[in-house]
Every structure is written in structure tokens, then in C-alpha cells.
Amino acid sequence: MSGLPVARTCPGLGEASDLKFPLGAKFREPLTETRFQQLFGDAKQELEPLAEPRLSRLCRQWRRRARACSGPGAWRLLLARLPPLRWLPHYRWRAWLLGDAVAGVTVGIVHVPQGMAFALLTSVPPVFGLYTSFFPVLIYTLLGTGRHLSTGTFAVLSLMTGSAVERLVPEPLGGNLSGIEREQLDAQRVGVAAALAFGSGALMLGMFALQLGVLSTFLSEPVVKALTSGAALHVLVSQLPSLLGLPLPRQIGCFALFKTLAAVLTALPRSSPAELTISALSLALLVPVKELNVRFRDKLPTPIPGEIVMVLLASVLCFTSSLDTRYNVQIVGLLPGGFPQPHLPSMAELPRILADLLPIALVTFAVSASLASIYADKYRYSIDSNQELFAHGVSNLISSLFSCFPNSATLATTSLLVDAGGNTQLAGLFSCIVVLSVLLWLGPFFYYLPKAVLACINISSMRQMFFQMQEIPQLWRISRMDFAVWMVTWVAVVILSVDLGLAIGVVFSMVTVVCRTQRVQCLALGLAEGTELYRPLRESRKLLKVPGLCILRYPSPLYFGTRGQFRRTLEWHLGLGEGGEEAPKMDGPPDRVAEPVRVVVLDCSGITFADAAGAREVVQLASRCRDAGIHLLLAQCNASVLGTLTEAGLLDRVTPEQLFVSVQDAAAHALQRLEPTGPKTCTVWV
């Protein structure tokens, strides 16, 4: 730690610091960037080469990659792309195997009814939900880095996919289709859903090739939570016709939620009493069971499988009472055994679904990456965001060959897997075994399952998404800006659609970031009495301001959007602006009456990056300060900013001796310049 002792005769300053210094402390001269490089870096390094030419940097990267193309390099690449090669040799078989088996079987049991339910939400036959609950889970087990992540069908993605499917392959107006016509319609819809999975998977693989895993940061937590909460409301309303037994066409596009509500209210007198009764009984069982699982999660050895119990009871009731023939209750029907033949989705569909691919890919990756990060932080391990892109991209791409629709990590089954004692990705294999047994042998048992029960499962699975709205008051207290992002995204999703709501939420979130950089205040710093620390003048009255010295901190990136504010702020503090120009609201008034500014120290620690326009503003500021007789010192420039300023010609206006490694060093040099003789010279302690 350094101190700043000053002679008593130095005007405007107090006594020397009373801090305790370690034994053997020595005096030193203020450190410039050049001197620091000579002492602690490469003595031959000059200031100009701080910004390495782009061509040489690219050549160095290619040489490093070329050296990696060897036996050890190939093994490291294999370890990075196949995570089981890393964690499986260290697997604790006695401690973890039972927990993974129980958790995998529990999640697999839930996957069966939820997969069929979300398939109806996607507007494809229920069996394709089982396919989507098998292949993606198996692939993610081999490629994913989230130990506690459960993948498969996800309500938000199913809703987005279903909207695209209904738009491209709408239901005929008459609605009375023969068996062959229904099969042809279902085949077309499955083809569109598989093409969406293929396209979104290919897009995620392209993002992985470009190492764009960082894009998940653009979907902030308020945006993701508002998106899922708004989509949950869409799911609830879209399932009302199935709950009431109303054969209504699905509404798509903007205001679909309100169109569906209006259609349901209009057709309410034609609702089916039998299906309404089944729905009421199903919800009466599912909702309390989910509440019990949440409240007693620590006491129950495994969560109560309410969905599978409800499926079995409803199937038995429908079979014994012949509800499908006597009361025209819609049932699932025959589930084909085995797997479909793998085939490439129709590429003719891709031009029509291009607008849907990016939202689906972003939601897939954002939800999966955020869930993986939450549990990785909780259980103290790390995930690779780019590997997650690779895993979900391959998962969607390969599963589309087996007629699966887009998939991702799911909130409900991930939480269920953790509560059931899951420890690693091995739980996914046990989940696949359960789904596989249904596909191969147990499919006929679901023939008489009423579709109204699947609608109830869809609604009950939205519980966590609805409860996210409880965080709104806390968000209001923590950050009004995040609250605004949450509300704007939620309202846009509910009123318009999930796709447009996501776009509006992301854009509004980015706009708030830009607005916050536009409204920062340039802080004038003063010396805290009895220390060597420089703090904003508004923080305390016990701060000393040296006449003729102005220390400013600009806490924002310096780019084309902030360069105007940067110029006006420094002109106002240094007295360089026009007389008639309106003064902006600043941290504190400049001291122009007592003594004009002779030395200015610009603390660049808050400038995280600078573009060409911002760098030119600093160069112009240096020229104006030189013309006005003001000595400009720059402190704490990071390497990127310093390189940009150097390329912009800063060293043509200032000398390397005017660049310092800290504000204390720059201030000490400034005080030496203001009082260059006698006991008023200042030094800084190491």
C-alpha cells in the first residue's frame, strides 16, 4: 500500500498520512507506464507495440492451433468434446449409482406423460413426444457438461414450434378428416417440426464453430424469466379447448391469447361435460400432489409420481366406462411400437422457417445454459458454455433425423432430478430406459388415455413458471431497470407472441444498457485527509482539493455513443467549453474562481474499452489541453484502451511520461509539477 506524505507548507493539503507502513518501506518516484514495463515487464518493450498488429496476432493463433494438431492435442480435443471421458473414471459407484438410478427412473416416468402432452402442444401426434424424450436425453448424456441437467420436451419450445407448425400446416376449415387425410396432415406437421429441430441444431452448431457461447449473456435473467412466465400463460390458455372438450382451431400470431379466450367463451355452451369432469378430477389430483412434492421434498425418498398415477387411473376409467364411444372423449389412440426410420427432414421447409430458427435456438441455449449454471454454482463444478452449444446443437440435429421436434433443458424435470438424488449425467441413461420400455412394450397401455388429461399435465407443469412472478416485488426493490425489462418482456410476450416478445425483451434490455452508459456522471476526485486515497468529492466533506489540480474519473466505456457526453463533461470541468453552452449535471462544480486548472489527471480505470471515435476524442482533448496550457495526465489505462489510444495518435500529443499506472502516481507527479521546489515536493510510498 502506498502513502502520500506532503510538507505542511503545501497549500490546501493536510498533515502527512498516519497510516502504519511495513518495516523496510522505501520512498520511490511516481511510476509511469514506460518505467513500469522496464521494472516489471520486458525492458525492451516500447509503448507503441502495446497494440499488437492484428495480422501477427492471427498468425500466432494459427501457429498455436497447428501445434495442437498432434496426439496429445487430439486427446485433449476428445476430452473436451466427450465429457464422460473426464468424469466417468472418477465416478463414485457406491455413493452415486443408486441416486442416479432412482432419479433417472423418476424423471423417465414423468417424461412419458409430459412428452405426450407437449407433443399435443407442438401439434404433432403424442408418440413423437416420446421420441423427443429419448434421443435428446441420450445424446446430451454423452455430450453435455451439466451434471444435474435434464433435457427433453420443454413447454415454451413446444409452444413456439406449435405456432410455426400451425402457421405452415393449418387445420382444414371443415375439421372432418378421414383417417388417411389425418395421417397425411400429421406427417406434414411432423416434417415441419423436425425441420425446425434440424435448422435450430445447425444454427447452434454454427454458433459453436464461431465460439458464440457468450451470446447467452444477452438473454438476461429478467428476460428469460419474463419469457417463460408469459409463455406459461399462453400454454394455459391454449389448453382450455382441450380441457373443455371444444374442437376449436388453434390461434396463432399476435393477440393469439385473446383470440383463444374469445373463441372459448363463445363456444363454452358446447363444452363436453365428460371431458370437463375428467379435467376437473385430474387437476384436483395433480395440483395437490405437486404441492406435496414441493413442501415435503426433504422428507420424501422420491417425489410422488402424480402424472403417471393420473395417466393410469384415467386410462383404466376410460376403458372400463367406454368414454370414447359413449361420450366422444378424445383419446390418445395407438402408439406405434419401436422407432421411426431415420431420414433427413425436408429441406424445402427451411426457407419458410428461417424466421423461427433464431428464436428457438436462442431460447434453447439460454434456458439450458442458465439452468446448468445455477446447479453448477450450487454444487461447485464448472460448465463450458460453448460445449453446451455443441451438445444441444448435436442433440437437436441428430434427433430431427428421428422425427423429433426442438428440445432443451426443462425446468420441472431438472428440479425433479435434483430432488430425487441425481448426481451425474448417468441419470439420463436410466431415464432413457424407462422411455424405451414404453416405446417397445408398454405403448398399448396408453391407448385409452384421454387427451384432456394430457392438457391437465401441461397446465400443472407450468407451476414453477407461474411462481416466478413472486420475484417481481424483490426485483423492484433491487433494480428498477431490471423490473422494467421484466415487465416489458412479459407484456410483449402475453399481448403479441413468444417470438416477438423475446425480440422486444432483448432489444429493450440492450437499450437499457446503452441508456445507463449515457447517464453516467464524471466524478471529480479529492484526497481523503490522512490517507493517500482519492475518492469522489461528494462522498465526504473531509476531502482535500488541491488548487490548480483536477482529478476526474469517467466510469463508462468510451465509444461513439458516449463521446459527446465525454467531451461536454471535460469541457465543463476544465473550462474549455463555449460560454453559452448549457452546463450538464455533474458531480460537483469546478473551482474556477480560486485558481484555473493547470494539471488534470484523467482516471481511465472505468473506461473498459474505447472505439475509434472515443479514442479520437481523447486525442483532441490532449490537443486542446496543450493549447490551453493544461498538463494532461492519464492513469490506469488498461492494455486494450491504451493500444487503441496509441493507434489513434495519442503519443503525438502527449509523451510516455504523461501515462501513469495509478491515480496516486499521477497525482504525485502533478503535485511535483505544481510545487516543483523546496519541501512541497510529494512522493509516494511503496
Side-chain angles (χ1 to χ4, degrees):
M1 190 174 182
S2 59
L4 188 61
V6 184
R8 296 184 180 181
T9 54
C10 184
L13 294 178
E15 298 293 332
S17 174
D18 295 327
L19 296 175
K20 302 295 183 182
F21 297 100
L23 188 63
K26 299 179 180 180
F27 293 102
R28 66 165 172 83
E29 291 297 323
L31 274 179
T32 62
E33 289 282 355
T34 305
R35 181 60 176 163
F36 182 85
Q37 291 295 336
Q38 292 174 352
L39 292 177
F40 305 105
D42 188 357
K44 298 181 180 180
Q45 182 179 4
E46 299 293 336
L47 189 60
E48 287 80 356
L50 283 175
E52 184 181 4
R54 185 181 300 273
L55 182 60
S56 63
R57 184 167 64 251
L58 291 176
C59 292
R60 190 181 71 252
Q61 292 177 354
W62 279 110
R63 286 195 298 268
R64 185 170 63 248
R65 292 182 180 180
R67 288 194 300 268
C69 294
S70 59
W75 176 245
R76 286 194 299 270
L77 180 62
L78 190 63
L79 288 177
R81 297 295 162 256
L82 288 176
L85 295 178
R86 298 198 307 268
W87 59 262
L88 198 56
H90 306 285
Y91 189 83
R92 303 176 185 174
W93 295 96
R94 292 185 178 180
W96 291 350
L97 183 59
L98 180 60
D100 282 341
V102 172
V105 171
T106 303
V107 171
I109 291 173
V110 175
H111 268 315
V112 173
Q114 276 196 2
M116 293 189 291
F118 290 158
L120 295 182
L121 196 60
T122 315
S123 299
V124 297
V127 69
F128 293 94
L130 297 180
Y131 299 153
T132 311
S133 299
F134 176 79
F135 291 103
V137 177
L138 182 62
I139 296 171
Y140 185 82
T141 301
L142 301 176
L143 301 178
T145 59
R147 287 169 42 189
H148 298 84
L149 209 62
S150 175
T151 58
T153 56
F154 182 42
V156 177
L157 283 180
S158 298
L159 182 68
M160 297 171 69
T161 306
S163 298
V165 169
E166 292 282 350
R167 186 183 75 247
L168 298 176
V169 189
E171 184 87 15
L173 295 178
N176 295 323
L177 301 177
S178 64
I180 297 178
E181 291 175 337
R182 172 59 63 182
E183 289 181 1
Q184 293 176 349
L185 181 69
D186 289 341
Q188 293 178 3
R189 290 185 166 183
V190 169
V192 173
L196 284 166
F198 182 89
S200 61
L203 182 58
M204 282 187 281
L205 286 180
M207 294 166 61
F208 162 75
L210 297 175
Q211 299 291 289
L212 295 181
V214 70
L215 285 180
S216 63
T217 58
F218 290 101
L219 288 176
S220 61
E221 183 178 345
V223 171
V224 173
K225 289 189 174 182
L227 173 72
T228 53
S229 297
L233 192 58
H234 275 279
V235 172
L236 172 62
V237 174
S238 68
Q239 297 303 294
L240 290 179
S242 298
L243 290 179
L244 302 174
L246 298 173
L248 297 176
R250 184 168 176 173
Q251 303 293 334
I252 59 175
C254 297
F255 313 107
L257 185 144
F258 304 101
K259 294 177 183 177
T260 303
L261 282 177
V264 168
L265 292 176
T266 303
L268 194 58
R270 305 196 307 269
S271 59
S272 170
E275 294 194 84
L276 183 59
T277 303
I278 292 174
S279 301
L281 293 176
S282 300
L283 289 176
L285 174 65
L286 290 174
V287 174
V289 167
K290 284 190 174 291
E291 191 66 27
L292 288 174
N293 285 334
V294 172
R295 291 197 176 187
F296 300 100
R297 65 175 63 184
D298 297 330
K299 298 180 180 180
L300 293 173
T302 58
I304 303 173
E307 289 89 349
I308 200 66
V309 171
M310 189 67 247
V311 164
L312 295 176
L313 289 177
S315 300
V316 171
L317 177 64
C318 185
F319 172 72
T320 55
S321 304
S322 301
L323 297 179
D324 56 325
T325 56
R326 295 173 60 185
Y327 299 101
N328 198 26
V329 172
Q330 297 295 316
I331 60 175
V332 169
L334 180 64
L335 294 178
F339 297 104
Q341 291 293 328
H343 65 278
L344 188 68
S346 175
M347 295 296 102
E349 303 289 349
L350 288 179
R352 299 196 295 166
I353 60 175
L354 287 178
D356 303 289
L357 296 181
L358 183 59
I360 289 177
L362 286 179
V363 170
T364 299
F365 179 55
V367 172
S368 303
S370 60
L371 269 178
S373 299
I374 290 173
Y375 287 100
D377 294 340
K378 181 177 181 181
Y379 292 98
R380 299 180 182 178
Y381 62 91
S382 61
I383 63 167
D384 184 349
S385 59
N386 284 303
Q387 177 65 19
E388 289 294 300
L389 259 180
F390 179 73
H392 290 287
V394 173
S395 174
N396 279 273
L397 192 67
I398 294 181
S399 62
S400 69
L401 304 180
F402 296 91
S403 303
C404 297
F405 49 85
N407 58 87
S408 72
T410 63
L411 302 175
T413 55
T414 298
S415 176
L416 182 63
L417 185 144
V418 174
D419 293 340
N423 298 290
T424 66
Q425 296 95 317
L426 197 62
L429 292 181
F430 294 98
S431 174
C432 290
I433 292 174
V434 175
V435 179
L436 180 64
S437 63
V438 174
L439 287 171
L440 296 181
W441 304 294
L442 303 180
F445 290 97
F446 299 96
Y447 182 92
Y448 289 98
L449 174 63
K451 291 185 178 180
V453 175
L454 297 181
C456 294
I457 293 174
N458 273 332
I459 293 175
S460 63
S461 65
M462 298 294 104
R463 179 183 181 278
Q464 280 182 303
M465 299 185 191
F466 283 126
F467 281 2
Q468 289 178 149
M469 301 184 71
Q470 294 178 343
E471 302 176 8
I472 295 179
Q474 182 183 14
L475 199 61
W476 170 265
R477 293 191 297 269
I478 296 175
S479 172
R480 305 289 172 86
M481 197 67 72
D482 287 343
F483 173 83
V485 171
W486 203 103
M487 293 304 301
V488 168
T489 305
W490 188 86
V491 171
V493 169
V494 171
I495 294 180
L496 300 178
S497 64
V498 177
D499 301 351
L500 289 177
L502 173 63
I504 291 174
V506 172
V507 171
F508 184 76
S509 178
M510 294 297 100
V511 169
T512 60
V513 174
V514 174
C515 290
R516 278 185 259 196
T517 62
Q518 294 287 326
R519 299 182 61 184
V520 298
Q521 292 184 348
C522 186
L523 305 176
L525 306 183
L527 179 64
E529 187 175 3
T531 72
E532 89 292 1
L533 302 176
Y534 286 84
R535 307 292 296 171
L537 289 173
R538 65 183 180 184
E539 288 189 0
S540 174
R541 296 180 181 179
K542 297 182 179 181
L543 294 175
L544 305 175
K545 189 173 182 182
V546 181
L549 173 61
C550 182
I551 305 177
L552 300 175
R553 176 184 297 161
Y554 190 74
S556 173
L558 187 54
Y559 63 104
F560 65 92
T562 59
R563 63 173 183 171
Q565 184 199 38
F566 174 79
R567 180 178 62 253
R568 290 189 298 270
T569 299
L570 268 71
E571 285 177 350
W572 184 78
H573 275 287
L574 303 180
L576 299 176
E578 298 292 336
E581 187 176 354
E582 182 181 357
K585 295 181 180 180
M586 300 298 172
D587 176 67
D591 190 3
R592 301 180 187 174
V593 179
E595 183 176 341
V597 176
R598 295 164 53 193
V599 181
V600 57
V601 177
L602 181 59
D603 181 5
C604 302
S605 59
I607 303 178
T608 55
F609 72 90
D611 66 356
R616 283 194 291 268
E617 283 295 337
V618 177
V619 174
Q620 293 175 8
L621 172 68
S623 298
R624 298 182 65 182
C625 287
R626 185 178 59 184
D627 296 340
I630 299 176
H631 192 59
L632 174 65
L633 306 177
L634 301 180
Q636 293 187 222
C637 289
N638 64 50
S640 174
V641 173
L642 191 57
T644 304
L645 296 179
T646 303
E647 292 293 337
L650 178 67
L651 294 183
D652 296 335
R653 307 296 193 278
V654 300
T655 64
E657 285 72 24
Q658 292 174 251
L659 307 177
F660 291 85
V661 296
S662 69
V663 176
Q664 286 79 9
D665 288 307
H669 176 79
L671 292 175
Q672 290 178 359
R673 186 177 182 88
L674 290 173
E675 301 293 344
T677 61
K680 301 176 183 178
T681 301
C682 298
T683 57
V684 180
W685 267 305
V686 176

